[in-house]
């Protein structure tokens, strides 16, 4: 996909509709993380301390990403007569992101899924938010930038907490190579959200 031409202030998107597409994709992505983590938090599993810790971590992750999805939805830049809810959808490109998240959600072992989130998904979305923040216009995107800053800070803490948890659980397996390949195809070298390059 060709890189969009930047405007006078360096932004890759210049219209309200383009920015709405970006924010709608962010909202969709965060809702999907909320669903995946919420499912892992509520699924029964072995009755041991490690599994209990994983469920608590997943519940906290789900709460945070559900809240973040709500913050994105509240900042959708919508013109009169446009249904804001219709803008909340997966990126409209064949990059495999929706499919990769579906496969992650289907992971049977909670610890393996958490490892996939901590090692791949959360760092990637942090990179996307960082790239957007670096290109954002304070005049036109002030409220969006506010959420980007909060999301990066919270995401960094979330990754550190997840890494610490996984280190304590020595029996944690690794995500399958197939799952890793799907995320690489979706993330690396592609614009995952409209007009935003992963860093």
């Amino acid at each position: 996909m060709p890189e969009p031409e930047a405007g006078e202030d360096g932004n890759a998107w210049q219209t309200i509709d383009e920015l709405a597409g970006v924010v709608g994709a962010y909202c969709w992505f965060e809702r999907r993380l909320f669903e995946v983590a919420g499912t892992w938090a509520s699924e029964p599993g072995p009755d041991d301390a490690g599994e209990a810790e994983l469920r608590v971590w997943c519940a906290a992750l789900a709460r945070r990403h559900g809240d973040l999805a709500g913050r994105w939805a509240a900042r959708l830049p919508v013109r009169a007569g446009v249904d804001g809810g219709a803008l909340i959808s997966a990126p409209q490109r064949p990059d495999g992101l929706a499919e990769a998240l579906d496969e992650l959600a289907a992971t049977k072992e909670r610890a393996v899924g958490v490892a996939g989130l901590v090692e791949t998904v959360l760092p990637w979305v942090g990179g996307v938010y960082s790239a957007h923040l670096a290109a954002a216009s304070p005049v036109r995107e002030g409220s969006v930038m506010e959420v980007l800053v909060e999301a990066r800070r919270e995401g960094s803490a979330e990754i550190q907490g997840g890494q610490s948890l996984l280190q304590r659980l020595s029996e944690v397996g690794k995500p399958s190579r197939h799952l890793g390949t799907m995320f690489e195809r979706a993330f690396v070298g592609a614009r995952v959200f409209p007009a935003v390059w992963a860093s």
Side-chain angles (χ1 to χ4, degrees):
M1 177 180 283
E3 184 172 357
E5 292 183 19
E8 294 174 7
D9 60 2
N11 277 349
W13 51 90
Q14 295 298 310
T15 70
I16 192 170
D17 291 332
E18 289 170 335
L19 181 59
V22 172
V23 174
Y26 291 166
C27 186
W28 168 83
F29 181 80
E30 295 296 347
R31 283 185 180 177
R32 193 68 186 103
L33 284 187
F34 164 76
E35 294 166 354
V36 171
T39 299
W40 290 341
S42 61
E43 284 179 344
D47 189 17
D48 62 56
E51 279 292 318
E53 272 194 276
L54 284 168
R55 283 195 302 273
V56 169
W57 188 86
C58 288
L61 183 108
R63 184 174 54 252
R64 175 184 170 264
H65 289 279
D67 185 46
L68 189 52
R71 284 184 268 167
W72 282 128
R75 283 162 176 82
L76 272 170
V78 180
R79 290 181 291 110
V82 175
D83 175 17
L87 297 171
I88 300 171
S89 63
Q92 299 301 307
R93 289 179 322 284
D95 58 16
L97 179 58
E99 293 79 7
L101 287 172
D102 288 345
E103 182 145 340
L104 180 66
T107 301
K108 299 297 183 197
E109 293 181 57
R110 189 178 358 248
V112 172
V114 167
L117 281 175
V118 170
E119 295 171 4
T120 305
V121 179
L122 296 176
W124 166 80
V125 75
V128 170
Y129 288 159
S130 293
H132 184 160
L133 189 59
S137 164
V139 174
R140 289 184 308 220
E141 300 176 72
S143 66
V144 168
M145 291 175 73
E146 177 185 322
V147 180
L148 289 169
V149 169
E150 293 170 1
R152 283 178 46 209
R153 183 182 63 246
E154 294 168 5
S156 178
E158 197 170 67
I159 291 167
Q160 289 176 354
Q163 288 171 336
S164 176
L165 173 60
L166 293 173
Q167 287 171 2
R168 288 195 308 275
L169 303 176
S170 58
E171 73 280 1
V172 170
K174 292 288 185 187
S176 72
R177 184 64 205 137
H178 172 68
L179 183 60
T181 300
M182 288 190 74
F183 277 110
E184 286 172 12
R185 190 168 56 242
F187 296 167
V188 178
R191 227 181 313 275
V192 180
F193 296 132
V196 179
W197 283 101
S199 61

